[in-house]
Amino acid sequence: MGLFDRIFKGGKKKKDTRETVQTRGAHMPDLKIPVDEKFTIQFKKNGGKFIYCVSFEEVLEGLGNIIEENHWQQAAFLSLNPLLQQRFAGEDLRFTQSTSEAEVFFTTCEHLVAVDGSILVNSNQLLEKKLHEVPENIIVFATTSQLVESIGEGLKMIKKKYRKEIPTNITTLKHFNPTDENARDFRTYGSSSKHLYLLLLEDL
């Protein structure tokens, strides 16, 4: 059974656990549930949409469905990562580095943070740009090995990975639907809410 299968195909026991997590108070002790399930719960609560894929072919199919659903066939895709552009070069996407022209921000990330369902990014994805400068429509390509429990754990892994040159502009994508509540959340660092799709590839 693949990672995440139990979330969608599991029996009553998993369903009860998920409902318990969603109805617990913010200050109650955290339940010991798997990091993948915790991320899924929080990510969906934030308004994100994700497509879970077991192969890169499914990633391409999911990307095509997202583009078709939103009528983005002629849209310009902002991509600041040359390696990402190379990997999706055969998909007839119109890439640009102009934020004024782009309708969609297509990016990778550093980590997926389970505790609050956020997506940790830095200068490897954003260069020097701030979140409010990129389009409100975002597609993130990530893998299950990028899941971490907390932002602190993610930061430690970034420091370990980039020992000689730690990236700058570290921030999180968290709010994927605009509400009065998240507009006042100081953790967004002044960024606007985004509409976000996550293409999640199993690599464990």
Side-chain angles (χ1 to χ4, degrees):
M1 181 178 293
L3 189 74
F4 279 87
D5 280 358
R6 62 179 177 275
I7 298 174
F8 301 106
K9 301 178 183 177
K12 185 175 187 297
K13 183 177 180 181
K14 282 295 177 184
K15 182 178 179 182
D16 289 343
T17 301
R18 183 163 60 253
E19 290 174 350
T20 302
V21 170
Q22 291 174 328
T23 56
R24 289 171 70 85
H27 303 291
M28 295 183 71
D30 190 18
L31 290 176
K32 299 299 182 182
I33 62 174
V35 66
D36 57 335
E37 185 169 349
K38 187 182 296 185
F39 173 79
T40 303
I41 294 167
Q42 298 299 332
F43 180 78
K44 292 173 69 176
K45 187 184 296 184
N46 291 342
K49 302 176 183 178
F50 77 86
I51 300 175
Y52 174 68
C53 309
V54 297
S55 68
F56 191 66
E57 288 70 26
E58 289 189 4
V59 171
L60 297 180
E61 181 181 354
L63 176 61
N65 290 337
I66 292 170
I67 291 173
E68 182 177 356
E69 176 185 331
N70 293 279
H71 308 290
W72 287 338
Q73 290 86 347
Q74 304 303 317
F77 283 66
L78 174 67
S79 176
L80 306 175
N81 185 336
L83 294 179
L84 184 67
Q85 294 183 40
Q86 291 175 18
R87 191 161 191 184
F88 288 87
E91 299 312 299
D92 199 28
L93 300 178
R94 186 162 65 92
F95 289 116
T96 181
Q97 289 196 333
S98 169
T99 54
S100 61
E101 179 187 11
E103 187 174 347
V104 182
F105 181 39
F106 189 32
T107 184
T108 57
C109 68
E110 289 294 336
H111 292 292
L112 307 171
V113 182
V115 70
D116 63 358
S118 64
I119 298 178
L120 189 62
V121 294
N122 56 41
S123 54
N124 289 326
Q125 292 80 41
L126 297 171
L127 299 181
E128 76 289 350
K129 299 185 187 302
K130 303 301 180 184
L131 289 182
H132 69 269
E133 297 180 276
V134 303
E136 67 174 11
N137 303 306
I138 299 177
I139 301 175
V140 176
F141 172 56
T143 60
T144 52
S145 62
Q146 292 175 283
L147 283 159
V148 295
E149 175 68 28
S150 65
I151 293 177
E153 181 182 345
L155 293 175
K156 288 180 181 178
M157 294 182 70
I158 289 174
K159 185 176 181 180
K160 182 177 179 180
K161 181 179 179 180
Y162 303 101
R163 291 180 182 274
K164 295 183 179 179
E165 190 173 352
I166 297 176
T168 59
N169 203 12
I170 298 174
T171 188
T172 58
L173 288 161
K174 180 178 178 182
H175 298 305
F176 314 132
N177 279 324
T179 66
D180 290 340
E181 179 182 359
N182 66 45
R184 296 189 296 268
D185 190 341
F186 71 92
R187 288 171 294 182
T188 61
Y189 300 100
S191 66
S192 57
S193 298
K194 305 295 181 181
H195 302 116
L196 191 142
Y197 291 88
L198 174 63
L199 291 167
L200 186 61
L201 174 63
E202 180 174 348
D203 66 341
L204 294 174

